[in-house]
Amino acid sequence: RTGQLDILLDDPEGTVRDPQVHYDGRTILFSYRPAGTEYFHLYEMNADGTGMRQLTDGPFDDIEPTYVADGGIVFCSSRCQRWVPCWMTQVAILYRCDGDGRNIRPISSNIEQENTPWPLPDGRILYQRWEYVDRSRVGFHHLWTVNPDGTNQMVYYGNLHPHILMIDAKPIPGTNEQVLAVFSPKHGKREHEGAITIVSQKTG
């Protein structure tokens, strides 16, 4: 136990989630809700457990952060202050900020949940998008992509395959067209339980 890592280890009622190691191996980005507080915010620390710093704050949940190539961070947040139309659940959509947590802005305008963003080798962000405008409210949770600035949002895979929640997708190193994802049946299971699936956009 070294440095400010003790803060996390000595906070058994707090919650840490979504850790991601930076590509240079020097820092770790994660979401943390200290004991006695209501919201998750983004934090970063050095890989040896020192130098923990809070990047975001406010009465919102900031979760599932990922580093992007331009030095910024893409994450999911309830800052949009929307609620799922069919249930009492707050919505989190895609946001981004600078590497120090400043300049927070949305890169999505979805009315439903978005989850687990992750960069593809070409710089696009791959994520799970729930949508049911004029469709089944439980059937469409598929893989989409968007540029880190919020432009060019489009479906990546699954739009014609209802009742599978496709989440936690990440590119497979050494390939340009394959990703690994969890295919969770129906409306999705707890802890993203489902089949580990390789998705390939390669045709022919």
Side-chain angles (χ1 to χ4, degrees):
R1 301 182 180 184
T2 58
Q4 292 182 321
L5 181 58
D6 289 330
I7 295 175
L8 303 181
L9 296 175
D10 294 336
D11 186 16
E13 295 184 2
T15 304
V16 176
R17 53 173 288 174
D18 315 317
Q20 183 185 348
V21 179
H22 192 278
Y23 301 100
D24 63 13
R26 296 177 180 176
T27 57
I28 301 171
L29 179 65
F30 58 97
S31 299
Y32 174 41
R33 182 189 59 78
T37 65
E38 296 183 27
Y39 301 102
F40 283 93
H41 293 117
L42 304 189
Y43 287 75
E44 188 178 51
M45 67 166 56
N46 299 326
D48 64 0
T50 63
M52 189 172 81
R53 49 205 170 270
Q54 184 173 343
L55 302 181
T56 63
D57 59 15
F60 317 100
D61 284 308
D62 300 324
I63 59 173
E64 299 176 351
T66 186
Y67 292 109
V68 291
D70 61 9
I73 296 168
V74 170
F75 60 101
C76 298
S77 179
S78 64
R79 294 169 182 271
C80 59
Q81 301 189 58
R82 298 170 190 159
W83 297 81
V84 173
C86 62
W87 196 245
M88 297 174 289
T89 301
Q90 198 164 13
V91 168
I93 61 172
L94 296 185
Y95 278 73
R96 68 163 295 152
C97 63
D98 298 340
D100 59 4
R102 298 180 181 178
N103 197 22
I104 297 173
R105 64 271 196 197
I107 60 172
S108 170
S109 59
N110 193 16
I111 64 169
E112 297 294 356
Q113 301 281 4
E114 294 170 332
N115 293 99
T116 60
W118 201 269
L120 290 170
D122 63 9
R124 290 178 299 161
I125 304 300
L126 178 68
Y127 65 101
Q128 183 276 137
R129 182 178 190 268
W130 178 19
E131 51 101 9
Y132 64 79
V133 176
D134 297 327
R135 311 180 87 175
S136 165
R137 68 184 182 276
V138 297
F140 296 89
H141 312 74
H142 297 134
L143 300 181
W144 287 62
T145 59
V146 65
N147 292 334
D149 63 359
T151 61
N152 205 31
Q153 184 184 59
M154 66 176 60
V155 66
Y156 182 84
Y157 180 81
N159 203 40
L160 300 179
H161 301 279
H163 305 295
I164 301 173
L165 186 149
M166 303 175 185
I167 201 164
D168 290 317
K170 296 174 177 61
I172 299 174
T175 70
N176 292 321
E177 70 284 331
Q178 292 185 333
V179 301
L180 195 70
V182 176
F183 277 26
S184 191
K186 297 184 178 178
H187 199 35
K189 302 294 184 180
R190 291 190 63 183
E191 304 302 333
H192 303 174
E193 179 184 355
I196 306 300
T197 306
I198 294 176
V199 177
S200 177
Q201 285 201 320
K202 187 176 181 179
T203 59

